[in-house]
Structures are given as C-alpha cells and as structure tokens.
Amino acid sequence: TIFESRRSFGGIWRYDDAGDEGKRMKTKDRPMYRNLRTNLPKELMAFREFPWILDDNDFGDVVNKGGDTGSGHKSPPPPPSYVTHRQVADYLDKYAKHFGIEKYVRFGCRVTQLTVLTEDENKKVEEMTTAVDEKKEGSNHGEMQSTPSFYSCWPSISLEWTTVTYEHVNGNDPTPRMQTHRETFHHALICNGHYSLPSFPPIPGLRNFSGRILHAIEYDDPLDFKGQTVVCIGARASGADIAKEIGGVAAEVFLSDSG
C-alpha cells in the first residue's frame, strides 16, 4: 500500500500554475517552477527497467532543429537529455501505468501518526494475522494449518492518516469533510523526500530588510522580478539557475555564496 498526499503521481514534479503573481506567492508549496529543466540527463534519471522514450511533441522546444543530411533532407533533432518538469511527470505517469502501480496507491492521504505497537498490542495483531492465515490455508487445502508467522519477530506498526472529501449540500459550494483512518502494517517505508518544507538559514539583519523576501520554493516566473534588483543567497543548483533566469529581465542580480 502506498499513501500519497496528492491526487496524482509525480510528487514535486507535478507543476501547478497558480495563476497571478499574488496568488502564486501565497499558494506555491513545492520547488517546481515554470521554466525548470532537470540538472541531470534523463539517461541517468530513468529507471533501468523502463527506458525514457520521448514523444514527437517533446521536441518542440529543442534549440537544435536538426541539420542537413546531405541529401536535401533535414535530419531529425537530437532528443533532449535535460528535460522539463512536465516531461518528468509524464514519464512517471507512463511508468506507473505500464507496471500497474496505481492499484496500490491511495491518493489524497495525509499520514499523521506512525506508532510502533507494544509487545501486548503486537501479540494481538499477530494472533489475528495467524487466524486469517489459518483460514486461508483451510480453504485452500481442506484443513486448518497453523504455521509460525514470518513477522512474529518484528513489532507491527499502526498507521493513522486523514482523507478529505467534498460534499455538495443544497447546491452550495462543496464542503470539505475530513475523515481519520487507522490500519496496522508489518513494515513502513517513509519516502516523503526532503523538499517539502523550506529551510531559512539565520541571517543577521534579515528582519530589518524592507524588500520582499521569499524562498526558492515560492519562485515561479522570472517576469515577477522585471526591472528589480535581486540577490540570490546560495549558489547551488536552484540558486544559480534562478539567478540566471532572473538575470534576463531584472535590473541587477547578485549571487551570494558562502563558499
């Protein structure tokens, strides 16, 4: 079972255009921005069991439109190695569809609590699991068979999560209704990544700055900074890429790095 907080595959690669600038600054909560391309080639990013094959319409923004083959015909453009966030999201969709992963995913679930059960609680779960296994064995072989569970040496895990559904009442706007669910599992893998929450380093005097301060996770469109003077703090992948984008429209851009 896979719990996914969003309503579709893609994770941070699922870009949502929040509309006008003011709305973007208030609602954007992931590090994907409008013009982002990967900083690794797709040949390295692809899953080994599923080659990354681009569709014909993925070549529309390739700079090199192909060359003359010598016979008067244009050669096809080379497939881009550094792809857009939309192409990454599309690849993940195709991967999930190809391997039938969607049936294992519960979308729109926000996990709120993970509890390792006590010895007594775990014993009760183990007894229930054994009873179910015995019933299955009996139905398959015509008799009840009791075998030690593979999981008996591991504590079980109680997982709690919430879902939100929307109800239409008397033709009014949909009303959100939150439900809490609990289920017990033998193992849990936490795969939430490390790009969910922005990290602001303590910078002396930052509170006294009268201009606009935003984290890279809130950035989307370079045109929002047209004619302005901007300093990007941090010259790693995101900082350098954003500074380059803004540099085409801003009055001045400074890139600050501790190294």
Side-chain angles (χ1 to χ4, degrees):
T1 303
I2 302 172
F3 293 97
E4 170 57 46
S5 62
R6 298 186 173 101
R7 300 287 178 178
S8 61
F9 288 107
I12 63 170
W13 294 103
R14 186 66 61 187
Y15 171 78
D16 293 322
D17 185 357
D20 62 88
E21 175 186 353
K23 187 177 179 182
R24 282 198 301 271
M25 296 305 175
K26 293 179 181 179
T27 62
K28 194 166 180 293
D29 62 352
R30 67 192 70 181
M32 205 53 49
Y33 45 92
R34 185 178 301 263
N35 301 319
L36 182 138
R37 283 183 176 271
T38 61
N39 58 359
L40 287 175
K42 70 180 190 303
E43 290 79 8
L44 292 180
M45 296 178 63
F47 295 109
R48 179 166 36 182
E49 67 274 18
F50 193 70
W52 198 319
I53 301 175
L54 296 177
D55 295 331
D56 291 340
N57 57 3
D58 288 322
F59 296 83
D61 53 357
V62 178
V63 175
N64 183 0
K65 298 300 182 180
D68 196 328
T69 61
S71 60
H73 299 287
K74 289 284 186 178
S75 62
S81 287
Y82 296 88
V83 293
T84 67
H85 51 74
R86 292 180 179 85
Q87 291 169 327
V88 177
D90 181 63
Y91 172 80
L92 294 174
D93 282 338
K94 291 176 179 176
Y95 181 92
K97 182 178 181 180
H98 179 80
F99 290 102
I101 296 176
E102 187 169 3
K103 61 185 177 183
Y104 301 109
V105 182
R106 300 183 189 181
F107 293 104
C109 298
R110 184 170 295 276
V111 177
T112 56
Q113 182 69 39
L114 186 154
T115 304
V116 178
L117 300 184
T118 65
E119 186 174 347
D120 290 340
E121 291 171 330
N122 193 67
K123 186 176 180 180
K124 292 179 180 179
V125 172
E126 183 58 33
E127 289 173 350
M128 294 174 62
T129 304
T130 302
V132 172
D133 290 343
E134 288 177 344
K135 187 175 182 180
K136 290 181 179 179
E137 289 289 339
S139 62
N140 292 334
H141 303 287
E143 60 181 1
M144 299 287 282
Q145 299 182 14
S146 179
T147 55
S149 172
F150 171 79
Y151 304 105
S152 58
C153 58
W154 297 95
S156 296
I157 294 169
S158 175
L159 209 63
E160 181 177 303
W161 69 95
T162 60
T163 58
V164 177
T165 57
Y166 293 88
E167 298 179 346
H168 292 266
V169 181
N170 298 326
N172 297 324
D173 292 336
T175 302
R177 178 171 172 265
M178 180 177 292
Q179 292 180 299
T180 300
H181 312 265
R182 294 181 184 85
E183 197 169 327
T184 302
F185 298 88
H186 287 114
H187 302 288
L189 299 177
I190 301 174
C191 311
N192 62 312
H194 56 277
Y195 295 110
S196 298
L197 297 174
S199 175
F200 281 92
I203 301 176
L206 187 62
R207 293 183 178 180
N208 300 324
F209 180 64
S210 60
R212 185 175 62 179
I213 302 173
L214 67 153
H215 191 275
I217 198 173
E218 302 169 90
Y219 171 77
D220 184 65
D221 189 348
L223 293 178
D224 294 340
F225 304 89
K226 185 176 181 179
Q228 300 180 15
T229 300
V230 182
V231 57
C232 293
I233 302 176
R236 300 302 183 265
S238 295
D241 192 43
I242 291 175
K244 181 181 178 182
E245 275 203 358
I246 294 176
V249 295
E252 287 185 295
V253 176
F254 298 89
L255 185 59
S256 174
D257 185 44
S258 59

Coordinates of all heavy atoms in Angstrom, one line a residue, residues 142-189:
G142 N -8.5 -27.7 2.6 CA -9.5 -28.5 3.2 C -9.2 -28.8 4.7 O -10.0 -29.6 5.3
E143 N -8.2 -28.2 5.2 CA -8.0 -28.4 6.7 C -7.2 -27.1 7.2 O -6.6 -26.3 6.5 CB -7.1 -29.6 6.9 CG -5.8 -29.6 6.2 CD -4.9 -30.8 6.4 OE1 -5.4 -31.7 7.1 OE2 -3.8 -30.9 5.9
M144 N -7.3 -27.0 8.5 CA -6.7 -25.9 9.2 C -5.2 -26.2 9.4 O -4.9 -27.3 9.9 CB -7.4 -25.6 10.5 CG -8.8 -25.2 10.4 SD -9.1 -23.5 9.7 CE -8.7 -22.6 11.2
Q145 N -4.3 -25.3 9.1 CA -2.9 -25.5 9.3 C -2.3 -24.3 10.1 O -2.6 -23.1 9.6 CB -2.1 -25.7 8.0 CG -2.6 -26.9 7.3 CD -1.8 -27.1 6.0 OE1 -0.7 -26.5 5.8 NE2 -2.3 -28.0 5.1
S146 N -1.6 -24.5 11.1 CA -1.0 -23.4 11.9 C 0.5 -23.4 11.7 O 1.2 -24.4 11.9 CB -1.3 -23.6 13.4 OG -0.7 -22.6 14.1
T147 N 1.0 -22.3 11.1 CA 2.4 -22.2 10.9 C 2.9 -20.9 11.5 O 2.1 -19.9 11.6 CB 2.7 -22.1 9.4 OG1 1.9 -21.1 8.8 CG2 2.3 -23.4 8.7
P148 N 4.1 -20.8 12.0 CA 4.6 -19.6 12.6 C 4.7 -18.5 11.6 O 5.1 -18.7 10.5 CB 6.0 -20.0 13.1 CG 6.4 -21.2 12.3 CD 5.1 -21.9 12.0
S149 N 4.3 -17.3 12.0 CA 4.3 -16.2 11.1 C 5.7 -15.6 10.8 O 6.5 -15.6 11.8 CB 3.4 -15.0 11.6 OG 3.6 -13.9 10.8
F150 N 6.0 -15.2 9.6 CA 7.3 -14.7 9.3 C 7.6 -13.4 10.1 O 8.7 -13.0 10.3 CB 7.4 -14.4 7.8 CG 8.6 -13.7 7.3 CD1 9.8 -14.3 7.2 CD2 8.5 -12.3 7.0 CE1 10.9 -13.5 6.8 CE2 9.6 -11.6 6.6 CZ 10.8 -12.2 6.5
Y151 N 6.5 -12.7 10.4 CA 6.6 -11.4 11.0 C 6.6 -11.4 12.5 O 6.6 -10.4 13.2 CB 5.4 -10.5 10.5 CG 5.3 -10.4 9.0 CD1 4.3 -11.0 8.3 CD2 6.2 -9.6 8.3 CE1 4.3 -10.9 7.0 CE2 6.1 -9.4 7.0 CZ 5.2 -10.1 6.3 OH 5.1 -10.0 4.9
S152 N 6.6 -12.6 13.1 CA 6.4 -12.7 14.6 C 7.6 -12.0 15.3 O 7.4 -11.6 16.5 CB 6.3 -14.1 15.0 OG 7.4 -14.9 14.6
C153 N 8.7 -11.9 14.7 CA 9.9 -11.3 15.4 C 9.9 -9.8 15.2 O 10.8 -9.1 15.8 CB 11.2 -11.9 14.9 SG 11.4 -11.8 13.1
W154 N 9.0 -9.2 14.5 CA 9.0 -7.8 14.2 C 7.8 -7.1 14.8 O 6.7 -7.7 14.7 CB 9.0 -7.5 12.7 CG 10.2 -8.0 12.0 CD1 10.3 -9.1 11.3 CD2 11.5 -7.3 11.9 NE1 11.6 -9.3 10.8 CE2 12.3 -8.1 11.1 CE3 12.0 -6.1 12.3 CZ2 13.6 -7.8 10.8 CZ3 13.3 -5.7 12.0 CH2 14.1 -6.6 11.2
P155 N 8.0 -5.9 15.5 CA 6.8 -5.2 16.0 C 6.0 -4.7 14.9 O 6.5 -4.2 13.9 CB 7.4 -4.1 16.9 CG 8.8 -3.9 16.3 CD 9.2 -5.2 15.8
S156 N 4.7 -4.7 15.0 CA 3.8 -4.2 14.0 C 3.7 -2.7 14.2 O 4.1 -2.1 15.2 CB 2.4 -4.8 14.1 OG 2.5 -6.2 13.8
I157 N 3.2 -2.0 13.1 CA 3.1 -0.6 13.1 C 1.7 -0.1 12.8 O 1.1 -0.6 11.9 CB 4.1 0.0 12.0 CG1 5.5 -0.3 12.4 CG2 3.9 1.5 11.9 CD1 6.5 0.0 11.3
S158 N 1.2 0.8 13.7 CA -0.1 1.3 13.5 C 0.0 2.7 12.8 O 0.8 3.5 13.2 CB -0.8 1.6 14.8 OG -2.1 2.2 14.7
L159 N -0.7 2.8 11.6 CA -0.6 4.0 10.8 C -1.9 4.7 10.8 O -3.0 4.1 10.7 CB -0.2 3.6 9.4 CG 0.6 4.6 8.6 CD1 1.9 4.9 9.2 CD2 0.7 4.2 7.1
E160 N -1.9 6.0 11.0 CA -3.1 6.8 11.0 C -2.9 7.9 9.9 O -1.9 8.5 9.8 CB -3.2 7.5 12.4 CG -4.5 8.4 12.5 CD -4.7 9.0 13.9 OE1 -4.7 8.2 14.9 OE2 -4.7 10.2 14.0
W161 N -4.0 8.1 9.1 CA -4.0 9.1 8.1 C -5.3 9.7 7.9 O -6.3 9.2 8.4 CB -3.5 8.4 6.8 CG -4.5 7.5 6.1 CD1 -5.4 7.7 5.2 CD2 -4.6 6.1 6.4 NE1 -6.1 6.6 4.8 CE2 -5.6 5.5 5.6 CE3 -3.9 5.2 7.3 CZ2 -6.0 4.2 5.6 CZ3 -4.3 3.9 7.3 CH2 -5.3 3.4 6.5
T162 N -5.4 10.8 7.2 CA -6.6 11.5 7.0 C -6.9 11.7 5.5 O -6.0 11.7 4.7 CB -6.6 12.9 7.6 OG1 -5.5 13.7 7.1 CG2 -6.4 12.9 9.2
T163 N -8.2 11.7 5.2 CA -8.6 12.0 3.8 C -9.6 13.1 3.9 O -10.3 13.3 4.9 CB -9.2 10.7 3.1 OG1 -10.3 10.3 3.9 CG2 -8.1 9.6 3.0
V164 N -9.7 13.8 2.8 CA -10.7 14.9 2.7 C -11.6 14.6 1.5 O -11.2 14.5 0.4 CB -10.1 16.3 2.6 CG1 -11.1 17.4 2.4 CG2 -9.2 16.6 3.8
T165 N -12.9 14.6 1.7 CA -13.9 14.5 0.7 C -14.7 15.8 0.7 O -14.8 16.5 1.7 CB -14.8 13.3 0.8 OG1 -15.4 13.3 2.1 CG2 -14.0 12.0 0.7
Y166 N -15.4 16.1 -0.5 CA -16.2 17.3 -0.6 C -17.6 16.9 -0.9 O -17.9 16.1 -1.8 CB -15.6 18.2 -1.7 CG -14.2 18.7 -1.4 CD1 -13.1 18.0 -1.7 CD2 -14.1 20.0 -0.7 CE1 -11.8 18.5 -1.4 CE2 -12.9 20.5 -0.4 CZ -11.7 19.8 -0.7 OH -10.5 20.3 -0.4
E167 N -18.5 17.5 -0.1 CA -19.9 17.2 -0.2 C -20.7 18.4 -0.6 O -20.4 19.6 -0.1 CB -20.5 16.7 1.2 CG -19.9 15.4 1.7 CD -20.4 15.0 3.0 OE1 -21.1 15.9 3.6 OE2 -20.2 13.9 3.4
H168 N -21.6 18.2 -1.6 CA -22.4 19.3 -2.1 C -23.7 19.3 -1.3 O -24.5 18.3 -1.4 CB -22.6 19.2 -3.6 CG -21.4 19.4 -4.4 ND1 -21.1 20.7 -4.9 CD2 -20.4 18.6 -4.8 CE1 -19.9 20.6 -5.6 NE2 -19.5 19.3 -5.5
V169 N -24.0 20.4 -0.6 CA -25.3 20.4 0.2 C -26.2 21.5 -0.4 O -25.8 22.7 -0.4 CB -25.0 20.7 1.7 CG1 -26.2 20.7 2.5 CG2 -24.0 19.6 2.2
N170 N -27.3 21.2 -0.8 CA -28.3 22.1 -1.3 C -27.8 23.1 -2.4 O -28.1 24.2 -2.5 CB -28.9 23.0 -0.1 CG -29.6 22.2 0.9 OD1 -30.2 21.2 0.6 ND2 -29.4 22.5 2.2
G171 N -26.9 22.5 -3.2 CA -26.4 23.3 -4.4 C -25.4 24.3 -4.0 O -25.0 25.1 -4.8
N172 N -24.9 24.3 -2.7 CA -23.9 25.3 -2.3 C -22.5 24.8 -2.7 O -22.4 23.7 -3.2 CB -24.0 25.5 -0.8 CG -25.3 26.1 -0.4 OD1 -25.9 26.9 -1.1 ND2 -25.8 25.7 0.8
D173 N -21.5 25.7 -2.4 CA -20.2 25.3 -2.7 C -19.8 24.0 -1.9 O -20.3 23.8 -0.8 CB -19.2 26.4 -2.3 CG -19.4 27.6 -3.2 OD1 -19.8 27.4 -4.3 OD2 -19.0 28.7 -2.8
P174 N -18.9 23.2 -2.4 CA -18.6 21.9 -1.8 C -18.0 22.2 -0.4 O -17.2 23.0 -0.2 CB -17.6 21.2 -2.7 CG -17.1 22.3 -3.6 CD -18.2 23.3 -3.7
T175 N -18.4 21.4 0.6 CA -18.0 21.5 1.9 C -17.0 20.4 2.2 O -17.3 19.2 2.0 CB -19.1 21.4 2.9 OG1 -20.1 22.4 2.7 CG2 -18.6 21.5 4.4
P176 N -15.7 20.7 2.7 CA -14.7 19.7 3.0 C -15.1 18.8 4.2 O -15.6 19.4 5.2 CB -13.5 20.4 3.2 CG -13.9 21.8 3.6 CD -15.2 22.1 2.9
R177 N -14.9 17.5 4.1 CA -15.2 16.6 5.2 C -14.0 15.8 5.4 O -13.6 15.0 4.6 CB -16.4 15.8 4.9 CG -16.8 14.8 6.0 CD -18.2 14.2 5.7 NE -18.5 13.1 6.6 CZ -18.2 11.8 6.3 NH1 -17.7 11.5 5.2 NH2 -18.5 10.8 7.2
M178 N -13.4 15.9 6.6 CA -12.2 15.1 6.9 C -12.5 13.9 7.7 O -13.3 13.9 8.6 CB -11.2 16.0 7.7 CG -9.9 15.3 8.1 SD -8.7 16.3 9.0 CE -8.3 17.5 7.6
Q179 N -11.9 12.8 7.2 CA -12.0 11.5 7.9 C -10.7 11.0 8.3 O -9.7 11.1 7.6 CB -12.7 10.5 7.0 CG -14.1 10.8 6.6 CD -14.7 9.7 5.7 OE1 -14.3 9.6 4.6 NE2 -15.8 9.0 6.2
T180 N -10.6 10.3 9.5 CA -9.4 9.7 10.0 C -9.5 8.2 9.9 O -10.5 7.6 10.2 CB -9.2 10.1 11.5 OG1 -9.1 11.5 11.6 CG2 -7.9 9.5 12.0
H181 N -8.4 7.6 9.4 CA -8.3 6.2 9.2 C -7.1 5.6 10.0 O -6.1 6.2 10.2 CB -8.2 5.8 7.7 CG -9.2 6.6 6.9 ND1 -10.4 6.1 6.4 CD2 -9.1 7.8 6.3 CE1 -11.0 7.0 5.7 NE2 -10.2 8.0 5.6
R182 N -7.3 4.3 10.4 CA -6.2 3.6 11.0 C -6.1 2.2 10.5 O -7.1 1.6 10.1 CB -6.4 3.5 12.5 CG -6.3 4.9 13.2 CD -6.6 4.7 14.7 NE -6.6 6.0 15.4 CZ -7.7 6.7 15.5 NH1 -8.8 6.3 15.0 NH2 -7.6 7.9 16.2
E183 N -4.8 1.7 10.3 CA -4.6 0.4 9.9 C -3.2 -0.1 10.4 O -2.4 0.7 10.7 CB -4.6 0.3 8.3 CG -4.8 -1.0 7.7 CD -5.1 -1.0 6.3 OE1 -5.7 -0.1 5.8 OE2 -4.6 -2.0 5.5
T184 N -3.1 -1.4 10.5 CA -1.8 -1.9 11.0 C -1.0 -2.6 9.9 O -1.6 -3.3 9.1 CB -2.1 -3.0 12.2 OG1 -2.9 -2.3 13.2 CG2 -0.8 -3.5 12.8
F185 N 0.3 -2.4 9.9 CA 1.2 -2.9 8.9 C 2.4 -3.6 9.6 O 2.7 -3.3 10.8 CB 1.7 -1.8 8.0 CG 0.6 -1.1 7.2 CD1 -0.1 0.0 7.7 CD2 0.2 -1.6 5.9 CE1 -1.1 0.6 7.0 CE2 -0.8 -1.0 5.2 CZ -1.5 0.1 5.8
H186 N 3.0 -4.5 8.9 CA 4.2 -5.1 9.4 C 5.5 -4.3 9.2 O 6.4 -4.3 10.0 CB 4.4 -6.5 8.8 CG 3.4 -7.5 9.3 ND1 2.4 -8.1 8.5 CD2 3.2 -8.0 10.5 CE1 1.7 -8.9 9.1 NE2 2.1 -8.9 10.4
H187 N 5.5 -3.5 8.2 CA 6.7 -2.7 7.8 C 6.2 -1.3 7.3 O 5.1 -1.2 6.7 CB 7.6 -3.3 6.8 CG 8.1 -4.7 7.2 ND1 9.0 -4.9 8.2 CD2 7.8 -5.9 6.8 CE1 9.3 -6.1 8.3 NE2 8.5 -6.8 7.5
A188 N 7.0 -0.3 7.5 CA 6.7 1.0 6.9 C 7.9 1.6 6.3 O 9.0 1.6 7.0 CB 6.1 1.9 8.0
L189 N 7.8 2.1 5.1 CA 8.9 2.9 4.5 C 8.5 4.3 4.4 O 7.4 4.6 3.8 CB 9.2 2.3 3.1 CG 9.7 0.9 3.0 CD1 9.9 0.4 1.6 CD2 11.0 0.7 3.8

